[in-house]
């Protein structure tokens, strides 16, 4: 929900070209200092307005209202401000999103989209659903049998989630393209252990309520099985 609902109405009026130049510039000044969380629908409309504002000026033969270019400038400046705060985290940390995804998968009984311990079935299941190929291995002989996989949305992106068991515990391994240090780093949040590492242009986050030693063992076995 917007922190300033009255300003949200003015933002929509600005994008629709229904706000006068003076109020438009005043609104831009407010946005520059406000932690406004712009809804996606508004951002889509802003993109269209910005495209119009950046269009070449009309022919000199055509009469143009003096405030037209002022409003275009206001929209452009506002877009620059929004571009900055549209990517500011809303207060929910990446770790919180990962823990929430772990808990949600258990509570909703939607642990996997594809349920099998056959890595040759799980790996191609992701084809066409995400734009990268996650490494998939079954670590049953090491005590971490593969359960399957599913899609998740973390930090605004689609990611792969591989699911493993450790006795009575569930390990979710979230994977997406990116850079992270290769050495594993352990964290704790809300009763869960989170272990992050990077390899071959991918970021890995293992999340589980199993003990830290078991999760570290999982990371070592997974890294060894996928080393190339």
């Amino acid at each position: 929900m917007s922190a300033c609902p009255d300003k949200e109405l003015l933002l929509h009026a600005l994008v629709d070209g229904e706000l006068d130049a003076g109020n438009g510039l005043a609104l831009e000044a407010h946005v520059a200092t406000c932690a406004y969380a712009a809804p996606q629908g508004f951002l889509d409309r802003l993109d269209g307005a910005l495209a119009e504002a950046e269009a070449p000026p009309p022919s000199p033969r055509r009469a143009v209202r003096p405030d037209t270019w002022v409003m275009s400038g206001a929209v452009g400046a506002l877009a620059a401000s929004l571009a900055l705060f549209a990517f500011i985290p809303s207060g929910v940390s990446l770790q919180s999103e990962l823990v929430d995804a772990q808990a949600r998968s258990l509570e909703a009984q939607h642990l996997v989209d594809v349920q099998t311990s056959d890595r040759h079935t799980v790996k191609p299941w992701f084809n066409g659903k995400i734009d990268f190929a996650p490494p998939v291995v079954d670590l049953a002989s090491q005590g971490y049998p593969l359960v399957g996989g599913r899609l998740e949305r973390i930090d605004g992106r689609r990611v792969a989630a591989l699911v493993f068991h450790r006795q009575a515990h569930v390990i979710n391994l979230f994977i997406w393209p990116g850079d992270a240090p290769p050495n594993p780093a352990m964290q704790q949040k809300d009763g869960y252990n989170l272990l992050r590492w990077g390899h071959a242009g991918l970021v890995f986050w293992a999340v589980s309520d199993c003990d830290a030693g078991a999760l570290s063992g999982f990371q070592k076995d997974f890294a060894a099985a996928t080393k190339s």
Side-chain angles (χ1 to χ4, degrees):
M1 181 178 293
S2 168
C4 306
D6 57 325
K7 296 300 187 294
E8 182 174 332
L9 293 175
L10 292 177
L11 283 168
H12 285 280
L14 176 61
V15 173
D16 291 337
E18 298 172 353
L19 200 65
D20 62 88
N23 283 324
L25 293 173
L27 181 60
E28 177 207 336
H30 172 81
V31 167
T33 59
C34 175
Y36 173 76
Q40 186 58 48
F42 170 76
L43 293 177
D44 293 340
R45 294 168 62 200
L46 180 63
D47 287 340
L50 182 57
E52 293 181 7
E54 293 178 343
S59 169
R61 292 174 297 178
R62 180 182 176 186
V64 180
R65 287 172 49 197
D67 64 347
T68 300
W69 300 111
V70 175
M71 286 302 297
S72 295
V75 172
L78 178 61
S81 298
L82 285 173
L84 291 176
F85 67 70
F87 294 99
I88 296 176
S90 60
V92 179
S93 69
L94 174 60
Q95 291 85 346
S96 293
E97 287 194 55
L98 292 166
V99 167
D100 287 347
Q102 167 85 5
R104 188 171 58 247
S105 70
L106 301 176
E107 294 172 359
Q109 296 183 342
H110 181 205
L111 191 59
V112 292
D113 291 326
V114 53
Q115 183 172 2
T116 177
S117 61
D118 183 2
R119 64 186 181 90
H120 297 294
T121 299
V122 176
K123 186 177 179 67
W125 180 86
F126 287 104
N127 293 346
K129 298 179 177 68
I130 49 179
D131 58 1
F132 65 98
V136 180
V137 294
D138 181 20
L139 302 175
S141 61
Q142 294 94 325
Y144 305 96
L146 176 67
V147 178
R150 71 178 188 279
L151 293 178
E152 275 287 355
R153 183 167 291 276
I154 301 293
D155 197 26
R157 77 187 85 192
R158 270 190 164 190
V159 309
L162 301 180
V163 183
F164 298 83
H165 274 155
R166 174 60 174 178
Q167 297 175 348
H169 303 278
V170 171
I171 298 175
N172 271 291
L173 179 61
F174 302 98
I175 310 171
W176 62 83
D179 296 319
N183 294 329
M186 182 77 72
Q187 303 178 32
Q188 288 79 35
K189 186 172 181 62
D190 298 339
Y192 290 95
N193 288 309
L194 301 89
L195 190 58
R196 183 210 65 203
W197 75 96
H199 176 67
L202 295 174
V203 177
F204 300 84
W205 280 89
V207 183
S208 180
D209 61 354
C210 68
D211 64 80
L215 195 60
S216 293
F218 166 79
Q219 187 276 330
K220 291 177 182 177
D221 290 337
F222 186 92
T226 58
K227 187 177 180 180
S228 58

